[in-house]
Amino acid sequence: MLGGTVWIALIRFVISLGGVILLFSRISKSRFEPKKTLLCYIGFSIMIIIAACTWYVFAWDSCVRMVAFVMYLCFSLLAIYISGDRIFLTVYKLAFIFYLMAVFLIVGIEISILFFDRNAWADIVARIVLIVIMTLFIERKIKISLLNFSDYVESELDRFSAAVMIISLLFGIGFILNPNVKEQTPYRLFQISMNFFLTAALQLLVYRLYLHIGKEKEYQKENQLIQMNHRLLERNMELLEEAAVDGRRIRHNMRYHNAVITEYALKGQTEELLQYLRQYKQELEENAPQIICDNTTLNHLLLIYTRWAKRENIEVELDVEIGTDFPVPGINLVTILANAYENAIYGCIEVKMCGDLRKCFISLMMKKKGNKLVICCKNTCRFETELKSKSDFSGNISVSGIVKAVEEYGGEYDFKNDNGIFIFRLIMNLSQDNNQKDNVALRDKEKNTEIETKGV
């Protein structure tokens, strides 16, 4: 630090702590309401600044050496309490903010020493300018990508690699902020510059790495959905082919029926004609398409997979109560139901291929209870199937599709092997559907804003 009165120190403390809070709030989501979050930040700032000023008055030398670290350590504890992110992701973001704090602290001091003969106000102005520039850059250029990056890091983060990165970052900045080195030589400035450069390069490397990993995972999920749609189209083509065959058969039979009716009419055999028409009506009713549920989309889907299951000699028991005005969009229901049903069929086929003589069956229950959707699918499976955790299913296309669709709606699901019976259970809160739509719309709006900004 450059010294000065306690009032100068107070201004520095306020600017530095305010800058850290501002930068952290740009890249982190609070788990409290905005008003409560603001009150927490204000109350913390008042207490920590009073303590820092008292320390500055009574122990200036130790305060100069340690105040930045102590204040940031205290802020880190508050940030972990306030942040809505997981603990490891919050620590990663705090390390990034620590780097930015080191930049505006050291650059402000160096500007004051090199160009303004250690003028304290030059240091203060430089800090304000740097904080504003950093905030604008984060807000306009990288905020959305940072939030997406946070999602990728949270789901794909290698704990050991991230821990090594954070420790390296803290050691590097700790060397830069070493207050015992007071001599400003060209070599010292070169050391600071290279340390800032290498630390920033490390941050950028990790950012690009996890951004790439996250996007690759997104592409894999999209590819899985494309494969699922391809399989659904194949099932629809099979249904259309069956409908075409049925249409040709009906047209052929209609000529026969017309000839019989004409013959009865010409001969005046009224009773025989009425008897024949009654039989024909009964035959039409028996061959009418099966109605499994009132939702047309799901009814067609269930018919497709039920016919497939019966061709494989699998007994099917369905208990589906879904209306036409169901609050979840059809594509999401199709994703969950098609994957669950197809996974059950393949499970039964595996049992038959292994030479198991057990009777294969599929039992599917799907109902709306209050504001919740409940699904339970049971099917015969191999005894030796071992299920350790939900993550074990990540390689299975069908189950991965279920997990993706369920997680988008904040649902809870469970898979288990109960002595050769595979059980999938799902409970999804339907009231979250509108919130989900609002969140999607908000993300789309933010992305459009970012594109427009880049275009300008």
Side-chain angles (χ1 to χ4, degrees):
M1 292 182 66
L2 302 175
T5 65
V6 68
W7 298 109
I8 296 295
L10 172 64
I11 295 174
R12 284 200 185 102
F13 294 151
V14 171
I15 292 172
S16 299
L17 184 59
V20 168
I21 292 174
L22 180 62
L23 294 172
F24 182 77
S25 65
R26 295 301 88 199
I27 64 172
S28 181
K29 297 174 289 187
S30 174
R31 63 191 182 97
F32 300 124
E33 297 179 353
K35 184 178 180 180
K36 184 176 180 180
T37 302
L38 181 61
L39 291 176
C40 289
Y41 280 138
I42 292 175
F44 168 79
S45 300
I46 293 173
M47 290 188 295
I48 200 69
I49 289 173
I50 292 175
C53 290
T54 304
W55 187 8
Y56 185 85
V57 170
F58 291 100
W60 180 88
D61 188 55
S62 62
C63 180
V64 169
R65 290 197 306 269
M66 299 297 298
V67 69
F69 291 102
V70 173
M71 289 181 67
Y72 192 78
L73 179 61
C74 295
F75 170 75
S76 299
L77 298 176
L78 175 71
I80 292 173
Y81 171 71
I82 290 180
S83 176
D85 300 317
R86 294 181 182 177
I87 178 66
F88 215 78
L89 180 58
T90 302
V91 172
Y92 174 83
K93 291 182 178 181
L94 284 170
F96 175 64
I97 297 300
F98 189 55
Y99 171 78
L100 297 181
M101 183 191 75
V103 171
F104 69 71
L105 283 180
I106 297 301
V107 173
I109 292 174
E110 296 298 328
I111 289 175
S112 176
I113 293 175
L114 294 175
F115 302 105
F116 296 96
D117 192 26
R118 294 180 174 271
N119 186 283
W121 292 106
D123 172 36
I124 292 172
V125 173
R127 292 186 188 188
I128 295 175
V129 172
L130 288 171
I131 291 171
V132 171
I133 292 173
M134 292 175 182
T135 303
L136 291 176
F137 180 75
I138 291 175
E139 192 69 28
R140 296 185 179 183
K141 298 295 183 180
I142 63 174
K143 181 178 179 179
I144 295 176
S145 60
L146 273 177
L147 292 176
N148 292 334
F149 168 70
S150 299
D151 295 335
Y152 299 149
V153 169
E154 189 170 354
S155 59
E156 308 296 339
L157 187 63
D158 178 7
R159 300 295 192 267
F160 176 78
S161 301
V164 171
M165 186 276 300
I166 292 173
I167 293 173
S168 302
L169 179 65
L170 295 178
F171 271 116
I173 298 174
F175 172 78
I176 295 172
L177 294 177
N178 184 7
N180 294 323
V181 181
K182 299 181 180 179
E183 185 180 358
Q184 299 298 323
T185 63
Y187 179 70
R188 167 65 177 166
L189 295 177
F190 174 76
Q191 283 183 315
I192 293 176
S193 301
M194 289 305 299
N195 221 318
F196 272 132
F197 171 76
L198 293 176
T199 306
L202 179 62
Q203 284 279 343
L204 181 61
L205 178 63
V206 173
Y207 170 78
R208 297 295 300 176
L209 173 64
Y210 283 107
L211 194 64
H212 174 74
I213 292 175
K215 287 184 177 180
E216 184 178 359
K217 290 292 185 180
E218 290 293 326
Y219 294 149
Q220 290 177 358
K221 291 178 181 178
E222 291 177 3
N223 182 51
Q224 291 170 2
L225 291 178
I226 291 173
Q227 293 183 43
M228 183 203 71
N229 290 331
H230 176 71
R231 296 196 303 274
L232 287 177
L233 287 174
E234 288 181 341
R235 303 290 173 257
N236 278 319
M237 289 299 298
E238 293 175 3
L239 188 61
L240 290 174
E241 290 176 0
E242 291 180 5
V245 172
D246 290 341
R248 289 193 295 270
R249 178 178 57 81
I250 291 172
R251 287 192 296 272
H252 177 270
N253 292 339
M254 282 301 297
R255 290 194 294 269
Y256 168 77
H257 292 309
N258 289 336
V260 173
I261 292 172
T262 301
E263 186 67 21
Y264 279 132
L266 290 174
K267 292 182 179 181
Q269 298 175 325
T270 307
E271 292 296 329
E272 289 81 354
L273 176 58
L274 292 175
Q275 179 64 25
Y276 177 78
L277 289 176
R278 283 192 290 269
Q279 294 176 354
Y280 181 52
K281 180 182 178 182
Q282 182 179 357
E283 180 182 351
L284 289 177
E285 291 176 351
E286 291 176 353
N287 295 327
Q290 184 181 2
I291 304 299
I292 300 176
C293 70
D294 295 333
N295 189 292
T296 305
T297 302
L298 296 187
N299 190 70
H300 286 309
L301 181 70
L302 292 170
L303 284 175
I304 293 171
Y305 282 101
T306 301
R307 291 182 182 181
W308 178 19
K310 289 183 178 180
R311 285 199 301 268
E312 299 291 341
N313 295 321
I314 301 172
E315 289 190 3
V316 178
E317 179 182 348
L318 300 175
D319 184 11
V320 181
E321 297 179 4
I322 301 296
T324 56
D325 55 344
F326 198 66
V328 178
I331 185 61
N332 296 292
L333 278 179
V334 167
T335 300
I336 296 172
L337 192 57
N339 281 315
Y341 209 154
E342 184 167 318
N343 201 53
I345 293 175
Y346 279 126
C348 293
I349 292 175
E350 284 184 353
V351 172
K352 291 178 178 292
M353 292 177 62
C354 293
D356 196 323
L357 299 179
R358 285 182 297 154
K359 195 174 187 180
C360 292
F361 76 95
I362 296 174
S363 175
L364 176 63
M365 185 273 289
M366 185 174 184
K367 294 183 179 181
K368 178 185 176 184
K369 296 184 177 180
N371 65 335
K372 296 185 182 297
L373 171 66
V374 180
I375 297 178
C376 181
C377 183
K378 301 179 181 180
N379 64 274
T380 312
C381 69
R382 294 182 300 171
F383 289 103
E384 60 270 20
T385 303
E386 295 184 2
L387 310 178
K388 297 179 181 179
S389 65
K390 294 176 184 177
S391 60
D392 293 341
F393 294 99
S394 58
N396 186 299
I397 292 176
S398 298
V399 177
S400 297
I402 295 173
V403 171
K404 175 178 172 59
V406 172
E407 288 181 346
E408 286 184 356
Y409 282 81
E412 297 182 2
Y413 58 91
D414 178 60
F415 302 96
K416 70 175 182 178
N417 184 349
D418 185 12
N419 194 27
I421 304 298
F422 185 85
I423 301 176
F424 160 59
R425 294 175 294 185
L426 160 70
I427 297 179
M428 191 161 64
N429 192 352
L430 302 179
S431 63
Q432 292 183 355
D433 179 57
N434 292 331
N435 294 333
Q436 181 72 14
K437 292 179 180 179
D438 294 340
N439 293 334
V440 172
L442 180 59
R443 288 198 298 269
D444 293 341
K445 182 178 180 181
E446 290 177 345
K447 290 181 181 179
N448 293 334
T449 304
E450 182 185 23
I451 294 173
E452 293 174 359
T453 303
K454 289 181 179 180
V456 174

